[in-house]
Amino acid sequence: MKSDVPPVLPLHAHPPGPPKSRTGLYLVLGLMGAALLGLLFVLGGGALFIFTAKDEALSSDDRSALMTVSILSEWMEGFEPDLSKETVVKQRYLDRSYDMEYEFDDPDNPDAPYVSCSVTVEPNSSDALISYKGVQLGLNIGFNSQSGTSQMERNDLFRWGDQSSFHVLYVHGAPIGNSFTAIKGKRVFMMTFSGVFFEDTPAIQELLQPRLDALERMPAP
C-alpha cells in the first residue's frame, strides 16, 4: 500500500510507519462529523441553525487562525501542495455565532497529507464549552469505534487556553498524525492531520501558536 508520507521530513516532524492508509482516518472523521451533527440536534434547534446558516467571506485573521496544508507543507521538504484540493467555508448563524471549516484532501498524490481544521466563535463561554465537548465527543467516538485506530493523549507536549487536548493518532499501532482541540473563552479550535506527526514541543509550539494567536484576535458576536 502506498505511503501518505512525504519522502523527506525535517527534524521534529516524523513520517508514520506502515501501514499508511488514509482509510482509517477517513472513517474516523466521518464518524466524528456524524457525532457532532447528532449532538447539535439533541441540544435542540439544530435543524434551524443548519438551514439558516449564511456564508461569509474570510478575513485575513480568519485565514491566519486555520491550520492549512500550506502551513504544514513548510515542514515537508520537497512537497508542493495542489491548492485546488483545499476547501474553506465560513458560516454565520442566527445567534451571530460563526464557524470556519477547512479541509485539504488530495488522494491522487501519495505524498500529500490530509488536513482538517475548524474554528468556532460563540456568543458566550457556555455555548463554546458545549461546542468544545461536542468536538471531543466526536473524536472519541470516531477513534474508539473504528477497529485499528487509536489516539494517545500527550498534553505534556502542548497545552493552551482554558482546556485543551493534544493527541498522537495511530492506525494499527503506527503513528499517522496529530489532533488538537482547545477552548479559550468563546473560541473553540480543532485540528487533525495525517501523513506526518509531531512529538516535539518547540515544533508544535511553532506550528500552532500563530494560529491560536490569530484565533484570539477574531471578534466575538
Side-chain angles (χ1 to χ4, degrees), residues 12-174:
H12 309 312
H14 309 281
K20 300 160 184 171
S21 170
R22 294 166 178 248
T23 305
L25 188 57
Y26 283 171
L27 291 172
V28 165
L29 292 173
L31 286 167
M32 183 182 75
L36 290 176
L37 284 174
L39 180 67
L40 185 61
F41 278 87
V42 166
L43 291 172
L48 182 62
F49 267 62
I50 289 174
F51 295 120
T52 59
K54 294 184 178 180
D55 291 347
E56 285 192 0
L58 276 70
S59 70
S60 58
D61 275 346
D62 289 342
R63 294 184 180 278
S64 297
L66 291 169
M67 177 62 62
T68 67
V69 70
S70 297
I71 294 164
L72 197 60
S73 66
E74 295 175 5
W75 297 83
M76 302 167 66
E77 186 174 334
F79 172 70
E80 293 291 336
D82 179 356
L83 298 184
S84 70
K85 304 297 184 180
E86 65 180 2
T87 59
V88 59
V89 176
K90 179 181 179 180
Q91 292 187 311
R92 190 174 294 272
Y93 302 93
L94 286 176
D95 62 353
R96 304 304 297 163
S97 64
Y98 58 96
D99 61 33
M100 300 185 297
E101 300 284 344
Y102 171 89
E103 183 180 48
F104 174 83
D105 181 19
D106 188 0
D108 295 328
N109 183 353
D111 295 334
Y114 176 84
V115 188
S116 176
C117 183
S118 69
V119 166
T120 300
V121 182
E122 298 283 6
N124 55 65
S125 57
S126 60
D127 286 348
L129 183 60
I130 292 172
S131 295
Y132 175 67
K133 294 297 185 182
V135 168
Q136 290 195 313
L137 173 65
L139 284 170
N140 290 335
I141 288 175
F143 279 95
N144 293 335
S145 300
Q146 178 60 35
S147 176
T149 62
S150 61
Q151 54 181 339
M152 179 180 292
E153 191 168 59
R154 292 295 310 274
N155 291 333
D156 58 304
L157 296 177
F158 188 77
R159 294 177 184 269
W160 181 83
D162 303 325
Q163 298 181 50
S164 66
S165 182
F166 186 90
H167 287 84
V168 179
L169 310 179
Y170 296 84
V171 170
H172 300 298

Side-chain angles (χ1 to χ4, degrees), residues 3-9 15-16 75-79 110-113 194-196:
S3 170
D4 291 327
V5 183
V8 180
L9 294 171
W75 297 83
M76 302 167 66
E77 186 174 334
F79 172 70
D111 295 334
S194 67
V196 57

